[in-house]
Amino acid sequence: MIFREDGTIKYTLTRSNRAKHVRLKITRTKGLEIVVPETFKKAWLTPILEKRIEWIRKVAKRLELPASIGEMPPLIPEKIFLNALNHEYAVRCVSPTTISTKLVDAEKIIRTATGVLSIEVDGGILLPNTVTDEVHAELLRCWLVRCGKEYLPELLEEASAQVGIPYKKVQIRLQKGRWGSCSGRGTISLNARLLLLPADLLQYILLHELAHVRHPNHSHAYWNFLATLDARALENDRAMNDAWKHIPLCFSM
């Protein structure tokens, strides 16, 4: 949410000694971020925001950000669809006793650092009804990382074999700002949220990172090489600007 109930704009202001100009950035995870030089006076910000108001509304709409608190989607969705697996999981809140009785049949058992328990069973996810939605969201993020570690390495291996580009190893994380990365030593890191993206965008990210094994930069040579792996590379890269709209709120935190 960027616009408060009274119409004022909610934002995060960061001062940077490296910034020479005011920079506005809007993401689904952090909303509106404003980076300004160290000497910038906050009073100067009002006319800048007034001038960029239509741009802010346009980007917020494109990212499907709620305009107000009343339009906020529920933190915990009723269903989660993993596009990469073409599978939908029903999300239910039940008593801890119900979870305990189904432990023996669970496909995945998820625990938070404080020991709160949830399970994946019978094609769905059971959350305890004795904790807050914030804890539910934490459990779902832990579950998504587990799914990522189970499925993304296999998908990357398939893409690697398809284009003939080997890599050193793969890591699965829940990065806040990156969908993937490739180290100079050939280690590819993938964001578990990739499982929530449309299949063509997931495949693009896999090829994007594999291309970095050959070209560890974003030079013209890199983009030309990536185009040989993915004919729609530039189109898919632009589509990734809106990729966060596919991510449920509980996974955007």
Side-chain angles (χ1 to χ4, degrees):
M1 184 189 70
I2 292 178
F3 295 96
R4 299 188 179 94
E5 292 291 349
D6 60 3
T8 57
I9 298 175
K10 180 181 178 181
Y11 59 85
T12 300
L13 183 67
T14 302
R15 298 184 183 275
S16 171
N17 54 18
R18 299 175 60 183
K20 295 182 179 180
H21 307 284
V22 177
R23 182 166 62 90
L24 277 64
K25 179 181 179 181
I26 299 177
T27 63
R28 245 180 145 244
T29 51
K30 298 180 181 180
L32 175 60
E33 298 178 273
I34 305 174
V35 180
V36 300
E38 288 282 2
T39 57
F40 186 86
K41 294 183 179 180
K42 194 172 181 179
W44 298 343
L45 197 55
T46 299
I48 294 175
L49 291 177
E50 290 176 350
K51 184 178 180 179
R52 302 297 300 277
I53 188 67
E54 289 307 317
W55 175 84
I56 293 172
R57 292 186 187 278
K58 181 179 179 180
V59 175
K61 182 178 180 180
R62 189 186 73 197
L63 294 178
E64 298 183 359
L65 296 178
S68 65
I69 292 177
E71 296 180 16
M72 286 283 287
L75 179 59
I76 306 303
E78 295 182 355
K79 297 178 181 180
I80 296 172
F81 185 68
L82 297 187
N83 284 283
L85 310 180
N86 193 32
H87 188 82
E88 186 174 74
Y89 298 83
V91 179
R92 296 169 51 211
C93 289
V94 299
S95 69
T97 301
T98 299
I99 293 176
S100 296
T101 59
K102 291 182 174 291
L103 276 176
V104 67
D105 299 317
E107 297 175 39
K108 291 183 180 67
I109 299 175
I110 307 298
R111 284 187 177 89
T112 66
T114 57
V116 181
L117 182 73
S118 70
I119 60 174
E120 176 191 324
V121 64
D122 299 330
I125 304 167
L126 300 185
L127 302 173
N129 59 10
T130 53
V131 296
T132 65
D133 275 353
E134 285 70 23
V135 177
H136 290 158
E138 182 183 356
L139 285 164
L140 290 175
R141 290 193 295 272
C142 292
W143 169 81
L144 186 64
V145 172
R146 283 278 298 277
C147 290
K149 290 181 177 180
E150 182 175 352
Y151 298 111
L152 286 175
E154 181 179 344
L155 294 172
L156 180 64
E157 185 61 33
E158 291 176 0
S160 171
Q162 175 187 341
V163 298
I165 302 177
Y167 55 93
K168 189 72 173 178
K169 64 178 181 179
V170 60
Q171 299 175 338
I172 309 302
R173 300 174 179 174
L174 206 63
Q175 301 98 313
K176 291 185 177 181
R178 291 187 175 188
W179 294 104
S181 63
C182 179
S183 74
R185 295 184 178 182
T187 295
I188 291 178
S189 295
L190 297 174
N191 192 324
R193 296 180 182 89
L194 287 168
L195 291 175
L196 297 159
L197 298 187
D200 55 342
L201 294 184
L202 165 59
Q203 183 69 5
Y204 165 70
I205 292 298
L206 298 180
L207 296 176
H208 184 109
E209 300 309 332
L210 286 169
H212 278 310
V213 175
R214 298 281 180 84
H215 297 272
N217 50 47
H218 284 107
S219 63
H220 288 299
Y222 166 81
W223 287 106
N224 289 337
F225 178 67
L226 180 57
T228 68
L229 308 181
D230 181 358
R232 300 178 58 202
L234 293 180
E235 180 182 344
N236 286 329
D237 192 68
R238 287 192 294 269
M240 287 304 299
N241 291 328
D242 297 334
W244 281 100
K245 71 182 181 182
H246 300 291
I247 309 301
L249 187 59
C250 60
F251 299 122
S252 297
M253 302 169 66

